[in-house]
Amino acid sequence: RRIPLLGNLQRFRDQGETLCNIAEQLGFVGKLQESTKSFERARRVAEAHGFFSVECRSCLGLGKSAMLEGRADEGVEMLRHAMTAAPLSEENENNMELNVFPAFTNALFLTHAIDEVEPLVPRYLEAAKALSAKKGCLGYYDLHSLYTSARLHEARGRPQEAQGEVRALLALIRENEATVQNMLERVHDLLREAILRLKVLDPETGEKELVKSVAAELARRV
């Protein structure tokens, strides 16, 4: 009797994952309402059967959609649920928590929840470094976590530390141009924001050559 039960659980889990896949594809083509409905169905499946990976993905999708539609409070709450479900996921090897950090920290900054984002930043930096060490190469999360750290320093009134983090980010890009080329679409907006933030923090910055030779060049190739 256990084998049919396990088979049913796998079927429900597959259903939840499929609904998330469909929702993500609908989101990519701008069909937010249909995407939201699919994520909501996936979340119901997850809650009914205790699939934390599906709950994490569905709440992450619902949170992103809510933020895009201007429902900030709802978006933050959904992303908070996703962050809670991530470490409980049966698929921890897939780095569920890292998938949530960018959207959740961005949402917290947008809603000025600095006290909540502050303890997340060291966890984000550590998790990003652990993943890149495991893979043996620089990843998107290394860059985004540094940028998130810079935003936190700036929000806390530490401009020198913020400048240091942005410069470290740009230096990483310069040192790993070949790797960055393979993730240009994802890095482009982050790169542009980092350059603008550095110019605000230090209008007389001595990093002009770095920006010209690396950042601006990479941005043109997207």
Side-chain angles (χ1 to χ4, degrees):
R1 297 178 65 179
R2 290 180 182 177
I3 293 174
L5 177 60
L6 290 173
N8 285 335
L9 286 174
Q10 184 61 50
R11 179 167 57 83
F12 284 121
R13 180 176 168 181
D14 290 345
Q15 179 186 9
E17 295 286 358
T18 299
L19 285 167
C20 285
N21 291 339
I22 292 170
E24 288 168 359
Q25 292 302 316
L26 288 168
F28 288 149
V29 296
K31 296 183 178 180
L32 288 182
Q33 287 188 339
E34 294 92 332
S35 174
T36 296
K37 289 178 182 177
S38 192
F39 274 130
E40 287 172 345
R41 289 179 61 196
R43 189 183 182 200
R44 287 195 292 271
V45 171
E47 290 180 337
H49 302 283
F51 302 137
F52 290 106
S53 60
V54 176
E55 184 175 356
C56 179
R57 285 184 67 190
S58 58
C59 288
L60 176 58
L62 289 169
K64 287 180 176 179
S65 295
M67 295 301 296
L68 284 172
E69 294 175 348
R71 295 177 282 115
D73 289 344
E74 182 182 341
V76 169
E77 189 60 26
M78 282 293 105
L79 293 168
R80 193 177 285 121
H81 283 311
M83 183 61 73
T84 300
L88 302 174
S89 169
E90 58 276 15
E91 294 185 0
N92 267 329
E93 287 298 311
N94 289 340
N95 306 294
M96 299 294 291
E97 196 171 53
L98 268 176
N99 292 335
V100 181
F101 272 124
F104 189 35
T105 54
N106 285 339
L108 292 175
F109 279 119
L110 286 172
T111 54
H112 308 289
I114 307 304
D115 288 341
E116 187 171 359
V117 79
E118 188 155 24
L120 294 176
V121 172
R123 284 171 54 192
Y124 190 8
L125 288 166
E126 183 179 349
K129 287 178 182 176
L131 180 62
S132 60
K134 181 179 178 180
K135 291 190 171 182
C137 64
L138 183 77
Y140 172 78
Y141 299 116
D142 293 290
L143 304 176
H144 192 275
S145 61
L146 272 174
Y147 183 64
T148 301
S149 180
R151 293 178 74 182
L152 176 61
H153 282 306
E154 186 180 7
R156 288 303 194 198
R158 301 188 291 262
Q160 294 301 319
E161 290 86 344
Q163 288 178 47
E165 294 287 55
V166 176
R167 288 194 173 98
L169 164 61
L170 295 175
L172 266 181
I173 291 172
R174 181 168 61 176
E175 294 162 7
N176 297 271
E177 283 194 52
T179 301
V180 173
Q181 294 291 336
N182 295 325
M183 50 180 179
L184 268 183
E185 275 191 42
R186 202 171 186 191
V187 170
H188 177 254
D189 289 342
L190 174 64
L191 190 56
R192 183 180 58 198
E193 287 182 30
I195 294 166
L196 291 174
R197 193 166 295 275
L198 183 59
K199 288 180 178 178
V200 170
L201 289 165
D202 183 10
E204 303 300 322
T205 180
E207 300 290 325
K208 291 178 182 177
E209 285 306 310
L210 175 63
V211 170
K212 183 187 296 184
S213 64
V214 181
E217 176 63 23
L218 290 175
R220 277 198 298 271
R221 296 179 196 173
V222 177

Coordinates of all heavy atoms in Angstrom, one line a residue, residues 26-118:
L26 N 4.2 31.8 -18.7 CA 3.2 32.8 -18.9 C 3.7 34.2 -18.5 O 3.4 35.2 -19.1 CB 1.9 32.5 -18.2 CG 1.1 31.3 -18.7 CD1 0.0 30.9 -17.7 CD2 0.4 31.7 -20.0
G27 N 4.4 34.2 -17.4 CA 5.0 35.5 -16.9 C 6.0 36.1 -17.9 O 6.0 37.3 -18.1
F28 N 6.8 35.2 -18.5 CA 7.8 35.7 -19.4 C 7.2 36.4 -20.6 O 7.8 37.3 -21.2 CB 8.7 34.5 -19.9 CG 9.6 33.9 -18.9 CD1 9.9 32.6 -18.9 CD2 10.1 34.8 -17.9 CE1 10.8 32.1 -17.9 CE2 11.0 34.3 -17.0 CZ 11.3 32.9 -17.0
V29 N 6.0 35.9 -21.0 CA 5.3 36.5 -22.2 C 4.3 37.6 -21.8 O 3.5 38.1 -22.6 CB 4.7 35.5 -23.1 CG1 5.7 34.5 -23.6 CG2 3.6 34.7 -22.3
G30 N 4.4 38.0 -20.5 CA 3.6 39.2 -20.1 C 2.1 38.8 -19.7 O 1.3 39.8 -19.5
K31 N 1.8 37.6 -19.6 CA 0.4 37.2 -19.2 C 0.3 37.0 -17.7 O 0.3 35.9 -17.2 CB 0.0 35.9 -19.9 CG -0.1 36.1 -21.5 CD -0.6 34.9 -22.2 CE -0.7 35.1 -23.7 NZ -1.2 33.9 -24.4
L32 N 0.4 38.1 -17.0 CA 0.5 38.1 -15.5 C -0.7 37.5 -14.8 O -0.6 36.8 -13.8 CB 0.8 39.5 -15.0 CG 2.1 40.1 -15.3 CD1 2.3 41.5 -14.6 CD2 3.2 39.2 -14.8
Q33 N -1.9 37.8 -15.3 CA -3.1 37.3 -14.7 C -3.2 35.7 -14.7 O -3.4 35.0 -13.8 CB -4.4 37.8 -15.3 CG -4.6 39.3 -14.9 CD -6.0 39.8 -15.4 OE1 -6.6 39.2 -16.3 NE2 -6.4 40.9 -14.7
E34 N -2.9 35.2 -16.0 CA -2.9 33.8 -16.1 C -1.7 33.1 -15.3 O -1.9 32.1 -14.7 CB -2.7 33.4 -17.6 CG -3.9 33.8 -18.5 CD -3.7 35.2 -19.1 OE1 -3.0 36.0 -18.5 OE2 -4.3 35.4 -20.2
S35 N -0.6 33.8 -15.3 CA 0.5 33.3 -14.5 C 0.2 33.3 -13.0 O 0.5 32.3 -12.4 CB 1.7 34.3 -14.7 OG 2.8 33.9 -13.9
T36 N -0.5 34.3 -12.5 CA -0.8 34.3 -11.1 C -1.8 33.2 -10.8 O -1.6 32.5 -9.7 CB -1.5 35.7 -10.8 OG1 -0.5 36.7 -10.9 CG2 -2.0 35.7 -9.3
K37 N -2.8 32.9 -11.6 CA -3.7 31.8 -11.4 C -3.0 30.5 -11.3 O -3.3 29.6 -10.5 CB -4.8 31.8 -12.5 CG -5.8 33.0 -12.4 CD -6.8 32.9 -13.5 CE -7.7 34.1 -13.5 NZ -8.7 34.1 -14.6
S38 N -2.0 30.3 -12.2 CA -1.3 29.0 -12.2 C -0.4 28.9 -11.0 O -0.3 27.8 -10.4 CB -0.4 28.9 -13.5 OG 0.1 27.6 -13.7
F39 N 0.2 30.0 -10.5 CA 1.0 29.9 -9.3 C 0.1 29.7 -8.1 O 0.5 28.9 -7.2 CB 1.7 31.3 -9.1 CG 3.1 31.3 -9.8 CD1 3.4 32.4 -10.5 CD2 4.0 30.3 -9.6 CE1 4.6 32.5 -11.2 CE2 5.2 30.4 -10.3 CZ 5.5 31.5 -11.0
E40 N -1.1 30.2 -8.1 CA -2.1 30.0 -7.0 C -2.5 28.5 -6.9 O -2.6 28.0 -5.8 CB -3.3 30.9 -7.1 CG -3.0 32.4 -6.8 CD -4.2 33.3 -7.2 OE1 -5.1 32.9 -7.9 OE2 -4.1 34.5 -6.7
R41 N -2.7 27.9 -8.1 CA -3.1 26.5 -8.1 C -1.9 25.7 -7.6 O -2.1 24.7 -6.8 CB -3.4 26.1 -9.5 CG -4.8 26.6 -10.0 CD -5.0 26.2 -11.5 NE -5.1 24.7 -11.6 CZ -5.0 24.1 -12.7 NH1 -4.8 24.8 -13.9 NH2 -5.0 22.8 -12.8
A42 N -0.7 26.0 -8.0 CA 0.5 25.3 -7.6 C 0.6 25.4 -6.0 O 1.0 24.4 -5.4 CB 1.7 25.9 -8.2
R43 N 0.4 26.6 -5.5 CA 0.5 26.8 -4.1 C -0.5 25.9 -3.3 O -0.2 25.4 -2.3 CB 0.3 28.3 -3.7 CG 0.7 28.5 -2.2 CD 0.4 29.9 -1.8 NE 0.8 30.1 -0.4 CZ 0.4 31.1 0.3 NH1 -0.4 32.0 -0.1 NH2 0.8 31.2 1.6
R44 N -1.7 25.8 -3.8 CA -2.7 25.0 -3.2 C -2.3 23.5 -3.2 O -2.5 22.8 -2.2 CB -4.1 25.1 -3.9 CG -4.8 26.5 -3.6 CD -6.2 26.4 -4.0 NE -6.4 26.3 -5.5 CZ -6.5 27.4 -6.3 NH1 -6.4 28.6 -5.8 NH2 -6.7 27.2 -7.6
V45 N -1.7 23.1 -4.3 CA -1.2 21.7 -4.3 C -0.1 21.5 -3.3 O -0.1 20.5 -2.5 CB -0.7 21.4 -5.7 CG1 0.1 20.0 -5.7 CG2 -1.8 21.3 -6.7
A46 N 0.8 22.5 -3.2 CA 1.9 22.4 -2.3 C 1.4 22.4 -0.8 O 1.9 21.6 0.0 CB 2.8 23.6 -2.5
E47 N 0.5 23.2 -0.5 CA 0.0 23.3 0.9 C -0.8 22.0 1.3 O -0.7 21.6 2.4 CB -0.9 24.5 1.1 CG -0.1 25.8 1.1 CD -1.0 27.0 1.2 OE1 -2.2 26.9 1.0 OE2 -0.4 28.1 1.7
A48 N -1.5 21.5 0.3 CA -2.3 20.3 0.6 C -1.4 19.0 0.8 O -1.8 18.1 1.6 CB -3.2 20.0 -0.6
H49 N -0.2 19.0 0.2 CA 0.6 17.8 0.3 C 2.0 18.0 0.9 O 2.8 17.1 1.0 CB 0.8 17.2 -1.1 CG -0.5 16.9 -1.7 ND1 -1.3 15.7 -1.4 CD2 -1.3 17.5 -2.7 CE1 -2.4 15.7 -2.1 NE2 -2.4 16.8 -2.9
G50 N 2.3 19.2 1.4 CA 3.5 19.5 2.1 C 4.8 19.5 1.2 O 5.9 19.1 1.6
F51 N 4.6 20.0 0.0 CA 5.8 20.1 -0.9 C 6.4 21.5 -0.8 O 5.9 22.5 -1.4 CB 5.4 19.9 -2.4 CG 4.7 18.6 -2.6 CD1 3.6 18.4 -3.4 CD2 5.2 17.4 -2.0 CE1 3.0 17.2 -3.6 CE2 4.6 16.2 -2.3 CZ 3.5 16.1 -3.0
F52 N 7.4 21.6 0.0 CA 8.0 22.9 0.3 C 8.7 23.6 -0.9 O 8.7 24.8 -1.1 CB 9.0 22.9 1.5 CG 8.3 22.6 2.8 CD1 8.4 21.4 3.4 CD2 7.6 23.6 3.4 CE1 7.8 21.2 4.6 CE2 6.9 23.4 4.6 CZ 7.0 22.2 5.2
S53 N 9.3 22.7 -1.8 CA 9.9 23.3 -3.0 C 8.9 24.0 -3.9 O 9.1 25.0 -4.4 CB 10.6 22.2 -3.8 OG 9.7 21.2 -4.2
V54 N 7.7 23.3 -4.1 CA 6.6 23.9 -4.9 C 6.1 25.2 -4.2 O 5.8 26.2 -4.8 CB 5.5 22.9 -5.2 CG1 4.4 23.5 -5.9 CG2 6.1 21.7 -5.9
E55 N 5.9 25.1 -2.9 CA 5.4 26.3 -2.1 C 6.4 27.4 -2.3 O 6.0 28.6 -2.5 CB 5.3 25.9 -0.6 CG 4.7 27.1 0.2 CD 4.4 26.7 1.6 OE1 4.6 25.5 2.0 OE2 4.0 27.6 2.4
C56 N 7.7 27.2 -2.2 CA 8.7 28.2 -2.4 C 8.6 28.8 -3.8 O 8.5 30.1 -3.9 CB 10.1 27.6 -2.2 SG 11.4 28.8 -2.4
R57 N 8.5 28.0 -4.8 CA 8.5 28.5 -6.2 C 7.2 29.3 -6.4 O 7.2 30.4 -7.1 CB 8.6 27.4 -7.2 CG 9.9 26.8 -7.4 CD 9.9 25.7 -8.5 NE 9.7 26.3 -9.8 CZ 9.4 25.6 -10.9 NH1 9.4 24.3 -10.8 NH2 9.2 26.2 -12.0
S58 N 6.1 28.8 -5.9 CA 4.8 29.4 -6.2 C 4.7 30.8 -5.4 O 4.2 31.8 -6.0 CB 3.6 28.5 -5.8 OG 3.7 28.1 -4.5
C59 N 5.2 30.8 -4.2 CA 5.1 32.0 -3.4 C 6.1 33.1 -4.0 O 5.8 34.3 -4.0 CB 5.5 31.8 -2.0 SG 4.1 30.9 -1.0
L60 N 7.2 32.6 -4.5 CA 8.2 33.5 -5.2 C 7.5 34.1 -6.4 O 7.6 35.3 -6.6 CB 9.4 32.7 -5.6 CG 10.5 33.5 -6.3 CD1 11.0 34.7 -5.6 CD2 11.7 32.5 -6.7
G61 N 6.9 33.3 -7.2 CA 6.2 33.8 -8.4 C 5.1 34.8 -8.0 O 5.0 35.9 -8.7
L62 N 4.3 34.5 -7.0 CA 3.2 35.3 -6.6 C 3.7 36.6 -6.0 O 3.1 37.7 -6.3 CB 2.3 34.6 -5.6 CG 1.5 33.5 -6.1 CD1 0.9 32.7 -4.9 CD2 0.4 34.0 -7.0
G63 N 4.8 36.5 -5.3 CA 5.4 37.8 -4.7 C 5.9 38.7 -5.8 O 5.7 39.9 -5.8
K64 N 6.6 38.1 -6.8 CA 7.1 39.0 -7.9 C 6.0 39.6 -8.7 O 6.1 40.8 -9.0 CB 8.0 38.1 -8.9 CG 9.3 37.7 -8.3 CD 10.0 36.8 -9.4 CE 11.5 36.4 -8.9 NZ 12.1 35.6 -10.0
S65 N 5.0 38.8 -8.9 CA 3.8 39.4 -9.7 C 3.2 40.5 -8.9 O 2.8 41.6 -9.5 CB 2.8 38.3 -10.0 OG 3.3 37.3 -10.8
A66 N 3.0 40.3 -7.6 CA 2.4 41.4 -6.8 C 3.2 42.7 -6.8 O 2.7 43.8 -6.9 CB 2.2 40.9 -5.4
M67 N 4.5 42.5 -6.7 CA 5.4 43.7 -6.7 C 5.3 44.4 -8.1 O 5.2 45.6 -8.1 CB 6.9 43.3 -6.5 CG 7.1 42.7 -5.1 SD 6.7 43.8 -3.7 CE 7.9 45.2 -4.0
L68 N 5.2 43.7 -9.2 CA 5.1 44.3 -10.5 C 3.8 45.0 -10.7 O 3.8 46.1 -11.3 CB 5.2 43.2 -11.6 CG 6.6 42.6 -11.9 CD1 6.5 41.5 -12.8 CD2 7.5 43.7 -12.5
E69 N 2.8 44.5 -10.0 CA 1.4 45.2 -10.1 C 1.2 46.2 -9.0 O 0.1 46.8 -8.9 CB 0.4 44.1 -10.0 CG 0.4 43.1 -11.2 CD -0.6 42.0 -11.1 OE1 -1.1 41.8 -10.0 OE2 -0.8 41.3 -12.1
G70 N 2.3 46.6 -8.3 CA 2.1 47.6 -7.3 C 1.5 47.2 -6.0 O 1.2 48.1 -5.1
R71 N 1.3 45.9 -5.7 CA 0.7 45.5 -4.5 C 1.9 45.1 -3.5 O 2.2 43.9 -3.3 CB -0.2 44.3 -4.7 CG -1.4 44.7 -5.5 CD -2.3 43.5 -5.8 NE -1.8 42.7 -7.0 CZ -1.4 41.5 -6.9 NH1 -1.5 40.8 -5.7 NH2 -1.0 40.8 -7.9
A72 N 2.6 46.1 -3.0 CA 3.9 45.9 -2.3 C 3.7 45.0 -1.1 O 4.5 44.1 -0.8 CB 4.5 47.2 -2.0
D73 N 2.7 45.4 -0.3 CA 2.5 44.6 1.0 C 2.3 43.1 0.8 O 2.9 42.3 1.4 CB 1.4 45.2 1.8 CG 1.7 46.6 2.4 OD1 2.9 46.9 2.4 OD2 0.8 47.3 2.8
E74 N 1.4 42.9 -0.2 CA 1.1 41.5 -0.6 C 2.4 40.8 -1.1 O 2.7 39.6 -0.8 CB 0.0 41.4 -1.6 CG -0.4 40.0 -2.0 CD -1.5 40.0 -3.0 OE1 -2.2 41.0 -3.2 OE2 -1.7 39.0 -3.7
G75 N 3.1 41.5 -2.0 CA 4.3 41.0 -2.6 C 5.4 40.6 -1.5 O 5.9 39.5 -1.6
V76 N 5.6 41.5 -0.6 CA 6.6 41.2 0.5 C 6.2 40.0 1.3 O 7.0 39.1 1.7 CB 6.8 42.4 1.4 CG1 7.6 42.1 2.6 CG2 7.5 43.5 0.6
E77 N 4.9 39.9 1.6 CA 4.4 38.8 2.4 C 4.6 37.5 1.7 O 5.0 36.5 2.3 CB 2.9 39.0 2.7 CG 2.3 38.0 3.7 CD 3.0 38.1 5.1 OE1 3.6 39.1 5.4 OE2 3.0 37.0 5.8
M78 N 4.3 37.4 0.4 CA 4.5 36.2 -0.4 C 5.9 35.8 -0.5 O 6.3 34.7 -0.3 CB 3.9 36.4 -1.8 CG 2.4 36.3 -2.0 SD 1.8 34.6 -1.6 CE 1.1 34.9 0.0
L79 N 6.8 36.8 -0.7 CA 8.2 36.5 -0.7 C 8.8 36.1 0.6 O 9.7 35.3 0.7 CB 9.0 37.8 -1.2 CG 8.7 38.2 -2.7 CD1 9.2 39.6 -3.0 CD2 9.3 37.2 -3.6
R80 N 8.2 36.6 1.7 CA 8.5 36.1 3.0 C 8.2 34.7 3.2 O 8.9 33.9 3.8 CB 7.9 37.0 4.1 CG 8.4 36.9 5.5 CD 7.7 37.8 6.5 NE 8.2 39.2 6.3 CZ 7.4 40.2 6.0 NH1 6.1 40.0 5.8 NH2 7.9 41.4 5.9
H81 N 7.0 34.3 2.7 CA 6.6 32.9 2.7 C 7.6 32.0 1.9 O 7.9 30.9 2.4 CB 5.2 32.7 2.2 CG 4.1 33.1 3.1 ND1 4.0 32.7 4.4 CD2 3.0 33.9 2.9 CE1 2.9 33.2 5.0 NE2 2.3 33.9 4.1
A82 N 8.0 32.5 0.8 CA 9.0 31.8 0.0 C 10.3 31.6 0.7 O 10.9 30.5 0.6 CB 9.2 32.5 -1.4
M83 N 10.7 32.6 1.4 CA 12.0 32.5 2.1 C 11.9 31.5 3.3 O 12.8 30.8 3.6 CB 12.4 33.9 2.6 CG 13.7 33.9 3.4 SD 15.1 33.4 2.4 CE 15.3 34.8 1.3
T84 N 10.7 31.5 3.9 CA 10.5 30.5 5.0 C 10.5 29.1 4.5 O 11.0 28.2 5.1 CB 9.2 30.8 5.7 OG1 9.2 32.2 6.2 CG2 8.9 29.9 6.9
A85 N 9.9 28.9 3.3 CA 9.7 27.5 2.8 C 11.0 27.0 2.2 O 11.3 25.8 2.2 CB 8.6 27.5 1.7
A86 N 11.9 27.9 1.7 CA 13.1 27.5 1.0 C 14.0 26.6 1.8 O 14.4 25.5 1.2 CB 13.9 28.8 0.6
P87 N 14.4 26.9 3.0 CA 15.3 25.9 3.7 C 14.7 24.6 4.1 O 15.3 23.6 4.4 CB 15.7 26.7 4.9 CG 14.7 27.7 5.2 CD 14.2 28.1 3.8
L88 N 13.3 24.6 4.0 CA 12.6 23.3 4.3 C 12.4 22.5 3.1 O 11.9 21.3 3.2 CB 11.2 23.7 4.9 CG 11.2 24.5 6.2 CD1 9.8 24.9 6.6 CD2 11.9 23.8 7.3
S89 N 12.8 23.0 1.9 CA 12.6 22.3 0.7 C 13.2 20.9 0.6 O 14.4 20.7 1.1 CB 13.1 23.2 -0.5 OG 13.1 22.4 -1.7
E90 N 12.6 20.0 0.0 CA 13.1 18.7 -0.2 C 14.2 18.7 -1.4 O 14.8 17.7 -1.7 CB 12.0 17.7 -0.6 CG 11.2 18.0 -1.8 CD 10.1 19.0 -1.5 OE1 10.1 19.6 -0.5 OE2 9.2 19.1 -2.4
E91 N 14.4 19.9 -2.0 CA 15.3 20.1 -3.0 C 16.4 21.1 -2.7 O 16.7 22.0 -3.5 CB 14.6 20.5 -4.3 CG 13.7 19.4 -4.9 CD 13.1 19.8 -6.2 OE1 13.4 20.9 -6.7 OE2 12.3 19.0 -6.7
N92 N 17.0 21.0 -1.5 CA 17.9 22.0 -1.1 C 19.2 22.0 -2.0 O 19.9 23.1 -2.0 CB 18.4 21.7 0.4 CG 17.6 22.4 1.4 OD1 17.1 23.5 1.1 ND2 17.4 21.8 2.6
E93 N 19.4 20.9 -2.7 CA 20.6 21.0 -3.6 C 20.3 22.0 -4.8 O 21.3 22.4 -5.4 CB 20.8 19.6 -4.2 CG 21.4 18.6 -3.3 CD 22.8 19.0 -2.8 OE1 23.6 19.3 -3.6 OE2 23.0 19.0 -1.6
N94 N 19.1 22.4 -5.0 CA 18.8 23.3 -6.0 C 18.9 24.8 -5.5 O 18.4 25.7 -6.2 CB 17.4 23.0 -6.6 CG 17.3 21.8 -7.4 OD1 18.4 21.3 -7.8 ND2 16.1 21.2 -7.6
N95 N 19.4 25.0 -4.3 CA 19.6 26.3 -3.8 C 18.4 27.2 -3.8 O 18.4 28.3 -4.3 CB 20.7 27.0 -4.6 CG 22.0 26.2 -4.7 OD1 22.6 26.0 -3.6 ND2 22.3 25.6 -5.8
M96 N 17.3 26.6 -3.3 CA 16.0 27.4 -3.3 C 16.1 28.7 -2.6 O 15.6 29.7 -3.1 CB 14.9 26.5 -2.6 CG 14.6 25.2 -3.2 SD 13.9 25.3 -4.9 CE 12.3 25.9 -4.5
E97 N 16.9 28.8 -1.5 CA 17.0 30.1 -0.8 C 17.6 31.1 -1.6 O 17.2 32.3 -1.7 CB 17.7 29.8 0.5 CG 17.6 31.0 1.5 CD 18.2 30.6 2.9 OE1 19.4 30.2 2.9 OE2 17.4 30.8 3.9
L98 N 18.7 30.7 -2.3 CA 19.4 31.7 -3.2 C 18.5 32.2 -4.3 O 18.6 33.4 -4.7 CB 20.6 31.1 -3.8 CG 21.9 31.2 -3.1 CD1 23.1 30.5 -3.8 CD2 22.3 32.7 -3.0
N99 N 17.5 31.4 -4.8 CA 16.6 31.9 -5.8 C 15.7 33.0 -5.3 O 15.2 33.8 -6.0 CB 15.7 30.7 -6.3 CG 16.5 29.7 -7.0 OD1 17.6 30.0 -7.6 ND2 16.1 28.4 -7.1
V100 N 15.5 33.0 -4.0 CA 14.5 33.9 -3.4 C 15.2 35.2 -3.0 O 14.6 36.3 -3.0 CB 13.8 33.3 -2.1 CG1 12.8 34.3 -1.5 CG2 13.1 32.0 -2.5
F101 N 16.5 35.2 -2.6 CA 17.2 36.3 -2.0 C 17.0 37.6 -2.9 O 16.7 38.7 -2.4 CB 18.7 36.0 -1.8 CG 19.0 35.5 -0.4 CD1 19.6 34.3 -0.3 CD2 18.6 36.1 0.7 CE1 19.9 33.7 0.9 CE2 18.9 35.6 2.0 CZ 19.6 34.4 2.1
P102 N 17.3 37.5 -4.2 CA 17.3 38.8 -5.0 C 15.9 39.5 -5.0 O 15.8 40.7 -4.7 CB 17.6 38.3 -6.4 CG 18.4 37.1 -6.2 CD 17.8 36.4 -5.0
A103 N 14.8 38.7 -5.2 CA 13.5 39.4 -5.2 C 13.1 39.8 -3.8 O 12.5 40.9 -3.7 CB 12.5 38.4 -5.8
F104 N 13.4 39.1 -2.8 CA 13.0 39.4 -1.5 C 13.8 40.6 -1.0 O 13.1 41.6 -0.4 CB 13.2 38.2 -0.5 CG 12.6 38.4 0.9 CD1 11.4 39.1 1.0 CD2 13.2 37.9 2.0 CE1 10.9 39.3 2.3 CE2 12.7 38.0 3.2 CZ 11.5 38.7 3.4
T105 N 15.1 40.7 -1.1 CA 15.8 41.8 -0.7 C 15.4 43.1 -1.5 O 15.3 44.2 -0.9 CB 17.4 41.6 -0.8 OG1 17.7 41.2 -2.1 CG2 17.8 40.5 0.2
N106 N 15.2 43.0 -2.8 CA 14.8 44.1 -3.6 C 13.5 44.7 -3.0 O 13.3 45.9 -2.9 CB 14.6 43.7 -5.0 CG 16.0 43.6 -5.7 OD1 17.0 44.1 -5.3 ND2 16.0 42.9 -6.9
A107 N 12.5 43.7 -2.7 CA 11.2 44.2 -2.2 C 11.3 44.9 -0.9 O 10.7 45.9 -0.6 CB 10.3 42.9 -2.1
L108 N 12.2 44.4 0.0 CA 12.4 45.0 1.3 C 13.0 46.4 1.2 O 12.6 47.3 1.9 CB 13.3 44.1 2.2 CG 12.7 42.8 2.6 CD1 13.7 41.9 3.4 CD2 11.4 43.0 3.4
F109 N 13.9 46.6 0.2 CA 14.5 47.9 0.0 C 13.4 48.8 -0.5 O 13.3 50.0 -0.1 CB 15.6 47.9 -1.0 CG 17.0 47.5 -0.4 CD1 17.6 46.3 -0.8 CD2 17.5 48.2 0.6 CE1 18.8 45.9 -0.3 CE2 18.8 47.8 1.2 CZ 19.4 46.7 0.7
L110 N 12.6 48.4 -1.4 CA 11.5 49.2 -2.0 C 10.5 49.6 -1.0 O 9.9 50.7 -1.1 CB 10.8 48.4 -3.2 CG 11.6 48.3 -4.5 CD1 10.9 47.4 -5.4 CD2 11.8 49.7 -5.1
T111 N 10.3 48.8 0.0 CA 9.3 49.1 1.1 C 10.0 49.7 2.3 O 9.4 49.8 3.4 CB 8.5 47.9 1.5 OG1 9.4 46.8 1.8 CG2 7.6 47.4 0.3
H112 N 11.3 50.0 2.2 CA 12.1 50.6 3.3 C 12.2 49.8 4.5 O 12.3 50.3 5.7 CB 11.5 52.0 3.6 CG 11.4 52.9 2.4 ND1 12.4 53.4 1.7 CD2 10.2 53.3 1.7 CE1 12.0 54.1 0.7 NE2 10.7 54.0 0.7
A113 N 12.1 48.4 4.4 CA 12.2 47.5 5.5 C 13.7 47.2 5.8 O 14.1 46.0 5.7 CB 11.4 46.3 5.3
I114 N 14.5 48.2 6.1 CA 15.9 48.0 6.3 C 16.2 47.1 7.4 O 17.2 46.3 7.3 CB 16.6 49.4 6.4 CG1 16.2 50.3 5.3 CG2 18.1 49.2 6.5 CD1 16.5 49.8 3.9
D115 N 15.5 47.2 8.5 CA 15.8 46.3 9.7 C 15.6 44.8 9.3 O 16.3 44.0 9.8 CB 14.9 46.6 10.8 CG 15.2 48.0 11.5 OD1 16.4 48.4 11.3 OD2 14.4 48.5 12.2
E116 N 14.7 44.5 8.4 CA 14.5 43.1 8.0 C 15.5 42.7 7.0 O 15.9 41.5 7.0 CB 13.1 43.0 7.4 CG 12.7 41.5 7.2 CD 11.2 41.3 6.8 OE1 10.5 42.3 6.8 OE2 10.9 40.1 6.5
V117 N 15.9 43.5 6.1 CA 16.9 43.1 5.1 C 18.3 42.9 5.7 O 19.1 42.1 5.3 CB 17.0 44.1 4.0 CG1 17.8 45.3 4.3 CG2 17.5 43.5 2.7
E118 N 18.6 43.7 6.8 CA 20.0 43.7 7.3 C 20.5 42.3 7.7 O 21.6 41.9 7.3 CB 20.1 44.6 8.5 CG 21.5 44.8 9.0 CD 21.7 46.1 9.7 OE1 20.8 46.7 10.2 OE2 22.9 46.6 9.7

